[in-house]
Amino acid sequence: MVRGQFGVALGGGGARGFAHIGVLCAMDAEGIRPDLIVGTSMGAMIGGLYAHYGSAQKIYDHFHTVIADGDYDASTYARLVQMEMTGDQSFLAQVKRFFMTSVTFGKTLFRPSIIPVEEYVAGINTLIPDVRIEELSLPFACIALDLHSAEEVVIRRGSLRRAVMASCAIPGIYPPVEEGGMLLVDGGWIDRTPVPAARRLGATQVLAVDVSHGIFPATDLDTAMNLILRSNLIAVDRLDLMQVQGADLCLRPELDNFHSLDFEQLDRIVQVGYRCAQDARGAIRRLCRKAGRRRWISAKRHGGEAFAWPADFKFLEMTMGDGLSPEKSRPAEGA
C-alpha cells in the first residue's frame, strides 16, 4: 500500500509571511517534517528556503543576517507603512494611497513597477541561493499567475531564484517576470494559500498556513477607485476561503497588528507563528499519523533528477529556466 503524503501549503501575505518561519520552527522542534511543500509569494520564499536549508532556524538566521548587514533597504516600504491608516486597512487600499502620491503615480504611468527590476533582482539574489528546485532536499513547488493566459502556473523545476521572483512579483510593486511567452506575477491573485496545488502534487493530508489580512470593514466607497479595489479584494478573499477549505488543517496566526510590509518586525512575527503552531501541535501530529507517514530523512537528490510528481495537473505547469525557454505542458481536461 502506498503511504500518504503530508504536505504544507504556505500562503502569501508579505512580511506577515515571516510567521511561516515560526510555524516551521515549532514543527522542527516536534520532529515533524513535511513530505512536500508548496508556497505562494512570501510562502514561496520561505518554503523554498526551507526545502534548501532543511531547518527553519537557518532561515531565521539567514534573514537576520541580511537585515543586520544592511543589505535590506526598507525606505520604500517604510513610506507605505507609515501612511495614515484610516478607513480600509487592506493591502490594496494602502497600495492605492501609495500610488496616488504625485511622484509614485507618475512612475506607474511610465514603467511596470515602483521597484526597478535591477533592485528586485538584487534583493532576490541576496535572499535566495543560486540552486535548482530539483536539487533541493525536499519536494517543492511555487505558484505564479500568467497575465497573458489568466492561468495558474505551478513552478516545480529550474532556478529557485527565478521561481520565487515570479511568485513574489506583486503587480505594480515589483516587475513581472517574463518567461517562455508568459508574464508572471504574484500567485496570490489566483491561489493565495496553495492548498489545491498541494493536493495535485500528491499530498493526502494538507496543513495550510494562512497569513492574509482578510477583509476589513468598508468605510469609504464614494469613488470609482475605492469601488474597484473593494470588489477585487472581496473576489480574491472569497477565492482564498474556498481554496483553504480543502485543507485538513488551517493555521491562522494572530497577525492583525502587523502590516504586510513590516519587514523589520521579523522577530515578533516569527514568534506569533511559533506560538500558533505550538498551540496546534497535537492536531499537526494527528495529521502526520493520518497520512501514515514516516519521519523524513533529508537527503540531496543525485544526478539532477526531478522528483516524481504526479502528471495529472489541471493547471498550466512549467519549468522555470535560467533565461532559456521553459518546458510547458497543458494536460488534457479531465486527466
Side-chain angles (χ1 to χ4, degrees), residues 12-60:
R16 293 156 62 94
F18 283 146
H20 295 317
I21 301 175
V23 170
L24 293 169
C25 273
M27 290 172 58
D28 284 351
E30 295 291 326
I32 300 171
R33 293 177 66 82
D35 294 305
L36 64 92
I37 192 162
V38 186
T40 296
S41 195
M42 192 62 169
M45 182 175 291
I46 302 301
L49 288 172
Y50 186 77
H52 172 68
Y53 288 120
S55 162
Q57 180 64 49
K58 289 182 179 179
I59 302 174
Y60 173 80

Side-chain angles (χ1 to χ4, degrees), residues 38 67 89-90 98-99 140-141 149 158-159 175-176 184 191 212 225 275 293 302 332:
V38 186
I67 294 173
Q89 304 300 302
S90 73
F98 190 48
F99 278 177
F140 168 75
S149 68
S159 167
L184 303 175
D191 196 354
S212 62
M225 177 65 77
R275 289 195 298 269
R293 65 174 299 278
H302 296 286

Side-chain angles (χ1 to χ4, degrees), residues 142-164:
C142 65
I143 309 302
L145 167 63
D146 176 22
L147 292 180
H148 290 319
S149 68
E151 294 201 59
E152 181 168 1
V153 177
V154 179
I155 307 171
R156 65 190 185 97
R157 295 191 187 98
S159 167
L160 180 62
R161 282 179 173 173
R162 292 276 290 171
V164 171

Side-chain angles (χ1 to χ4, degrees), residues 112-124:
S113 63
I114 294 172
I115 307 298
V117 62
E118 297 82 5
E119 184 178 333
Y120 187 39
V121 171
I124 291 293

